[in-house]
Amino acid sequence: KIAVTNFKLNESYLRHNPELAAKLDDLIFIKEMESPYGRLKDVHDQVNALQIENEKLVEVSQSSGLSKADEAIFRVTDEIEKAEAKEISNKCLYPLQQIKKAIQEQQSIPHIESEVNRLSGLEDKALDLIDELMEERKREHEKKNKTVPKIGGDNKPAVTYKARKTREKVNPIILADKTLLDTQEDIEQYLGVLRSSMEKIINDGKRIQITDK
């Protein structure tokens, strides 16, 4: 019974391989036998084979997930450094680091994929925190640098401010008026819409964030 339960978490992924699917079915058959003792050796062999393949699948899923987590952490860290926002570094990065930790510890491929799917939203939240801090600094800058005319002097601002462009998300899929492109004209039309949309954002003094949402 335990042998079959061990592979329930990733059963659907193991069944993608017909040979492994057959081994799983055989284990289930043995489990339901009234007297399975004569096939205990078979159980041992089947479990070993399935365990090896299960570990390989988990390793591949973890590797892919950790790579995506590292990329998200790198992007947020880069934005923190550019914005000189070390005071909120932990607040921005901790949720992403926890996702990475969960991926490292998780043995369920569906759960690993679920954690990976959370990365995009947490990265957006981190970038929002940075943007909010920059807006707060901007307000402080404007407040402190309200100049009062001085006789015989200049009115240079007392506090400098490092401006930061705001983000605007672009989902290339939403901009497509069809999901199937089968002519050169279709390609040119789609790229034209995409280019026009992006150029408007750049011309408005904003940055583009490519997203799938």
Side-chain angles (χ1 to χ4, degrees), residues 22 55 60 83 86 92 104 115 135 149-150 153 165 181 213:
E55 288 175 359
V60 169
K86 290 183 180 179
C92 292
Q104 289 172 324
E115 294 294 339
E135 282 299 312
K150 297 178 181 179
K165 293 181 179 180
L181 308 179
K213 297 179 180 179

Side-chain angles (χ1 to χ4, degrees), residues 41-138:
K41 182 182 181 302
D42 292 334
V43 170
H44 182 267
D45 293 341
Q46 306 285 49
V47 168
N48 280 346
L50 286 164
Q51 187 64 41
I52 290 171
E53 294 305 316
N54 184 67
E55 288 175 359
K56 288 180 181 177
L57 289 173
V58 171
E59 184 179 347
V60 169
S61 183
Q62 284 180 328
S63 178
S64 174
L66 290 173
S67 176
K68 291 175 181 177
D70 283 336
E71 289 169 3
I73 290 171
F74 174 82
R75 286 192 294 268
V76 172
T77 300
D78 186 52
E79 290 298 316
I80 290 170
E81 291 176 354
K82 287 178 180 176
E84 298 177 2
K86 290 183 180 179
E87 63 265 46
I88 60 169
S89 177
N90 187 60
K91 192 173 182 180
C92 292
L93 293 173
Y94 182 75
L96 294 170
Q97 291 164 343
Q98 288 301 104
I99 292 289
K100 181 177 179 179
K101 181 181 177 183
I103 293 171
Q104 289 172 324
E105 297 174 350
Q106 187 57 251
Q107 294 299 305
S108 162
I109 296 174
H111 283 94
I112 291 172
E113 292 177 345
S114 177
E115 294 294 339
V116 170
N117 289 336
R118 294 179 59 206
L119 284 170
S120 177
L122 291 175
E123 182 178 350
D124 276 348
K125 286 183 179 180
L127 296 178
D128 286 342
L129 285 173
I130 298 170
D131 286 344
E132 288 168 10
L133 175 64
M134 298 306 291
E135 282 299 312
E136 183 181 335
R137 288 179 179 175
K138 182 180 178 181

Side-chain angles (χ1 to χ4, degrees), residues 18-55:
E19 185 178 341
L20 298 179
K23 291 182 185 299
L24 279 168
D25 289 337
D26 195 34
L27 278 179
I28 293 171
F29 175 76
I30 295 171
K31 168 180 169 285
E32 294 173 351
M33 291 175 64
E34 291 185 7
S35 300
Y37 304 105
R39 295 207 56 194
L40 289 181
K41 182 182 181 302
D42 292 334
V43 170
H44 182 267
D45 293 341
Q46 306 285 49
V47 168
N48 280 346
L50 286 164
Q51 187 64 41
I52 290 171
E53 294 305 316
N54 184 67
E55 288 175 359

Side-chain angles (χ1 to χ4, degrees), residues 148-155:
V148 178
K150 297 178 181 179
I151 300 174
D154 59 37
N155 293 313

